[in-house]
Amino acid sequence: MYQELLHQFLFGWFPYIAVTVLILGSILRFDGAQYSWRSESSQFLRRKQMMLGSNLFHLGMLVLLVGHLFGLMTPIWAIDAFGISHEFKQIAAMTVGGIAGVAGLVGASLLLHRRLFEPRIRHTSSFGDITVLTLLWVQLILGVGTLWWSMKDIDGAEMVNLMNWAHGLSVFDPDAPGWLIGAPIIFKLHIVLGLIIIFISPFTRLVHVWSAPIWFLFRPGYQIVRSRRPIGKPRNVPPGGVAMTGMHGGAKSRGISESGD
């Protein structure tokens, strides 16, 4: 009875609680503490390690988030309608997710090592900074670890159960947790830890994901050109004369000075 109630809470009620806290908490934080809405970068310290780790981590996480979103929320009938077999989808998910997961794990490992073993960074890191990065690191390990069970389930049966669970939650089906009763423990741990990360996001630096500069990809191009003109030399010189310097006198145009005025 206790195990059934815990299963119902973790996979039936907690997802709604986590998403609700994420949305409302983010709105309240933005409304009441906008100056805390930032990633709090420490890129001036161990910059090379930070850049490599950050690029690998963020690129891997972006691919994983998009893959999980579309992979879990796409209706099974839509996959079948396009003639995509469950086995092909399973192999594609393992390949793309495996590459992105390893990249994200390497990046997270570099960032966590940098934050824990660089004294200056460790001194300025809060408990929340280290906790969030550690949780993300463990989550990536669990995600990469699911590849072993996925290879043993190459026909995609477990993947279909996960998709049915996610779809059931999206339509508020109270029986949705039943799809995960027989799931391997590593999948359950991966899901629960993911929900915990979603739950705490509004209270940590993870809130900056809402401000991801996606618009940067679609902005018009700019080209910055360094001028060879000496500093202080007047610009926009009219033909046959020199520029006016302003209200406080200085050089007048040659045409005026030659008129005798």
Side-chain angles (χ1 to χ4, degrees), residues 162-176:
L162 293 170
M163 294 174 66
N164 284 326
W165 168 73
H167 178 70
L169 291 178
S170 67
V171 296
F172 302 99
D173 182 3
D175 297 325

Side-chain angles (χ1 to χ4, degrees), residues 4-15 17 177:
E4 294 178 358
L5 183 61
L6 179 62
H7 182 87
Q8 180 67 30
F9 171 77
L10 291 177
F11 305 107
W13 304 335
F14 190 42
I17 297 174

Side-chain angles (χ1 to χ4, degrees), residues 15-258:
Y16 298 114
I17 297 174
V19 173
T20 301
V21 171
L22 171 66
I23 296 175
L24 293 182
S26 298
I27 293 174
L28 291 175
R29 180 171 177 179
F30 183 79
D31 181 66
Q34 292 187 25
Y35 288 106
S36 68
W37 192 287
R38 61 187 187 274
S39 62
E40 301 179 7
S41 175
S42 56
Q43 60 181 333
F44 294 107
L45 303 174
R46 284 201 182 185
R47 180 177 176 83
K48 291 183 178 180
Q49 183 177 355
M50 191 280 297
M51 292 299 295
L52 178 60
S54 180
N55 288 335
L56 287 173
F57 173 74
H58 285 92
L59 181 60
M61 290 299 295
L62 180 61
V63 174
L64 290 172
L65 287 174
V66 174
H68 279 67
L69 179 62
F70 285 95
L72 290 175
M73 301 309 298
T74 301
I76 297 178
W77 61 262
I79 297 176
D80 296 337
F82 283 99
I84 302 175
S85 66
H86 296 171
E87 182 177 357
F88 176 82
K89 184 178 183 298
Q90 177 82 333
I91 295 175
M94 290 171 52
T95 303
V96 178
I99 295 173
V102 171
L105 180 58
V106 172
S109 299
L110 290 172
L111 295 176
L112 185 60
H113 175 272
R114 173 177 172 271
R115 189 162 292 278
L116 292 178
F117 295 99
E118 168 58 51
R120 292 174 296 177
I121 301 176
R122 178 66 182 269
H123 181 72
T124 58
S125 299
S126 65
F127 174 78
D129 296 337
I130 297 176
T131 300
V132 166
L133 191 53
T134 302
L135 290 178
L136 290 171
W137 183 72
V138 174
Q139 178 72 335
L140 286 166
I141 291 178
L142 290 174
V144 173
T146 61
L147 293 175
W148 172 255
W149 278 264
S150 298
M151 287 188 292
K152 296 192 296 183
D153 181 49
I154 203 66
D155 62 347
E158 196 61 53
M159 174 196 66
V160 172
N161 290 337
L162 293 170
M163 294 174 66
N164 284 326
W165 168 73
H167 178 70
L169 291 178
S170 67
V171 296
F172 302 99
D173 182 3
D175 297 325
W179 291 103
L180 298 182
I181 291 179
I185 186 63
I186 192 169
F187 284 102
K188 293 181 178 180
L189 291 175
H190 188 56
I191 292 172
V192 171
L193 184 55
L195 293 173
I196 292 175
I197 293 173
I198 292 174
F199 181 85
I200 67 174
S201 291
F203 314 106
T204 66
R205 67 168 60 195
L206 286 178
V207 74
H208 77 276
V209 300
W210 294 113
S211 302
I214 303 299
W215 56 267
F216 185 84
L217 301 174
F218 307 101
R219 70 172 187 169
Y222 295 96
Q223 181 179 9
I224 300 177
V225 180
R226 178 179 295 175
S227 176
R228 295 179 181 275
R229 183 182 297 108
I231 298 177
K233 184 175 180 179
R235 293 179 293 177
N236 300 326
V237 179
V242 296
M244 298 289 291
T245 58
M247 296 177 59
H248 300 287
K252 296 183 179 181
S253 66
R254 185 175 300 171
I256 296 177
S257 62
E258 291 177 352

